[in-house]
Amino acid sequence: MTTSSPVSVISNRLHCIDDAVPLTLSVIIPFYNEASVITECHERLIAVLNTIKGHCEIIYVDDGSTDGSRQLVEQFSEDNVSLRYIGLSRNFGKEAAMSAGLEYAQGSAVILLDADLQDPPELIPSMLDKWQEGYDVVNMQRIKRQGETWVKRFSAKCFYKVLNALSDIDVPSNVGDFRLLSREVVLHINQMPERNRYMKGIFSWPGFNQTTLPFVRDARFSGETKWNYVKLFGLAVDGITSFSIKPLRIATILGCAIALWAFIYGMVIIIKTMIFSEVVSGYPSMMVVQLALGGIQLLCMGVMGEYIGRIFIEAKHRPLYLIQTVIDQPAVQAAQIYEKSA
């Protein structure tokens, strides 16, 4: 049965009942224009899920694709695994797509997986082993990032250091969206009301029992990444401002330090002029100081603007996403079990 959602469901073209069969695992795959890889991703994932005991489901969240990815996903059909297709009304971004998948996931364990196959589905059994040991969150840490430039690897390393230095929570370094969450953690995440979502921080915020598994991240199977450096910079700003007010405090401290320095420097000039009769000079140096102060002021205003902008977005209370289509395809074996129980 399709679960209720806080957003509008415009069309539900295939509505099937398979709630009678408890779900062990939900795998959420958000995608946007991944026609060149989505079929390979599905086949590899199904091969892994067929080895897992218990009922599994795959939730494909289409973030407004325009390249035929949707048509490919709608053609998928499996005997042992339930499939669910969620089509958003437009491209809302990956954070919103993952949130939509978490709202619909019903498994006792939930795994988020990118469609580009950089995160190998073959690691899912190891993640489930840790979950069965009692861990609520299984973080997958990238010890090697194949197919990425040294600039991107270096910038990512610097970002995690800055984020953890400023953030009030500990965000695991080099851990992306690929991770396992227990049902309890997912329920808490779904209750978070914020519209400005940095999911890596949201995944870390609940806490609970966590463990980390290292793995080598593969290069993209096909296609090109949707994340350019501009988008990555915006995501980094979202991560810092969503989980810390330290940038505002740094701006305050910086302002106080500059004001104190200006007062001391002014007193030195007065003393040198009145006592030692020195002529005040140094027009170029004063221009440099003024330009530096102007740059710092604009930087502080920009920091405040980032927080004010987030307040503005939150105050509008718009939904995080809109769903246009939901299609359920229950597993054949699950349907047979339900018919026998009925």
Side-chain angles (χ1 to χ4, degrees):
M1 182 172 60
T2 305
T3 58
S4 59
S5 174
V7 299
S8 300
V9 179
I10 300 175
S11 172
N12 188 350
R13 297 187 295 173
L14 181 58
H15 185 241
C16 301
I17 298 176
D18 82 321
D19 285 346
V21 183
L23 279 167
T24 300
L25 173 65
S26 296
V27 180
I28 301 171
I29 303 181
F31 66 93
Y32 175 68
N33 289 346
E34 296 287 2
S36 62
V37 68
I38 194 72
T39 301
E40 178 70 17
C41 174
H42 180 76
E43 292 176 354
R44 284 177 56 178
L45 179 58
I46 288 298
V48 173
L49 297 184
N50 283 336
T51 65
I52 296 174
K53 295 181 180 179
H55 184 200
C56 302
E57 71 169 351
I58 304 175
I59 301 176
Y60 287 101
V61 185
D62 180 9
D63 191 21
S65 296
T66 58
D67 67 340
S69 301
R70 166 181 174 172
Q71 289 74 15
L72 291 174
V73 172
E74 288 180 351
Q75 294 174 4
F76 293 157
S77 179
E78 298 298 332
D79 292 339
N80 303 322
V81 178
S82 297
L83 303 178
R84 172 170 286 170
Y85 168 83
I86 300 174
L88 304 188
S89 61
R90 64 171 176 83
N91 179 249
F92 286 89
K94 185 181 179 182
E95 312 296 292
M98 288 190 291
S99 299
L102 291 172
E103 286 281 352
Y104 275 78
Q106 298 295 315
S108 300
V110 178
I111 291 178
L112 292 110
L113 181 70
D114 287 347
D116 57 15
L117 289 177
Q118 288 189 277
D119 303 325
E122 290 77 14
L123 297 176
I124 289 178
S126 299
M127 301 167 72
L128 288 174
D129 289 340
K130 290 296 182 181
W131 170 64
Q132 290 173 348
E133 291 176 10
Y135 291 102
D136 295 289
V137 179
V138 180
N139 299 308
M140 302 301 293
Q141 188 173 52
R142 298 166 290 200
I143 58 175
K144 189 175 182 181
R145 302 160 68 111
Q146 296 181 351
E148 296 183 359
T149 63
W150 71 268
V151 175
K152 190 171 183 179
R153 293 194 299 268
F154 177 75
S155 59
K157 183 178 180 180
C158 293
F159 163 69
Y160 281 109
K161 287 186 176 180
V162 173
L163 177 62
N164 282 312
L166 297 177
S167 178
D168 298 326
I169 62 173
D170 182 24
V171 179
S173 178
N174 268 321
V175 175
D177 300 317
F178 184 37
R179 69 187 72 200
L180 179 147
L181 306 170
S182 70
R183 184 69 193 155
E184 184 177 6
V185 174
V186 171
L187 290 175
H188 286 295
I189 291 175
N190 289 339
Q191 292 173 357
M192 296 182 181
E194 62 257 42
R195 271 70 176 173
N196 293 288
R197 294 210 149 196
Y198 178 69
M199 296 305 291
K200 295 179 183 63
I202 288 177
F203 293 149
S204 302
W205 186 85
F208 291 91
N209 297 326
Q210 300 194 18
T211 187
T212 300
L213 292 179
F215 79 104
V216 176
R217 194 183 198 206
D218 297 332
R220 282 185 63 91
F221 178 82
S222 179
E224 297 180 355
T225 179
K226 312 301 187 298
W227 292 92
N228 55 38
Y229 284 102
V230 175
K231 290 183 178 180
L232 289 173
F233 178 77
L235 186 66
V237 173
D238 287 339
I240 293 172
T241 55
S242 296
F243 288 90
S244 176
I245 62 170
K246 287 183 180 179
L248 291 174
R249 292 176 179 170
I250 292 174
T252 302
I253 294 172
L254 190 60
C256 292
I258 291 174
L260 179 62
W261 173 81
F263 176 77
I264 295 174
Y265 185 63
M267 292 300 297
V268 170
I269 292 176
I270 292 173
I271 293 173
K272 288 172 68 176
T273 303
M274 296 182 65
I275 298 178
F276 301 102
S277 301
E278 291 187 9
V279 179
V280 178
S281 60
Y283 175 77
S285 62
M286 290 302 298
M287 285 300 299
V288 171
V289 170
Q290 289 182 9
L291 290 174
L293 290 176
I296 293 173
Q297 288 176 338
L298 291 174
L299 177 62
C300 294
M301 289 176 62
V303 171
M304 290 186 290
E306 288 288 339
Y307 284 95
I308 293 172
R310 278 154 179 74
I311 295 172
F312 171 69
I313 293 174
E314 296 290 339
K316 290 188 291 187
H317 295 291
R318 288 179 181 171
L320 186 61
Y321 52 83
L322 294 176
I323 294 179
Q324 182 176 3
T325 305
V326 177
I327 301 176
D328 287 332
Q329 295 186 28
V332 174
Q333 290 185 358
Q336 293 175 348
I337 294 174
Y338 173 75
E339 291 175 358
K340 291 179 181 180
S341 62

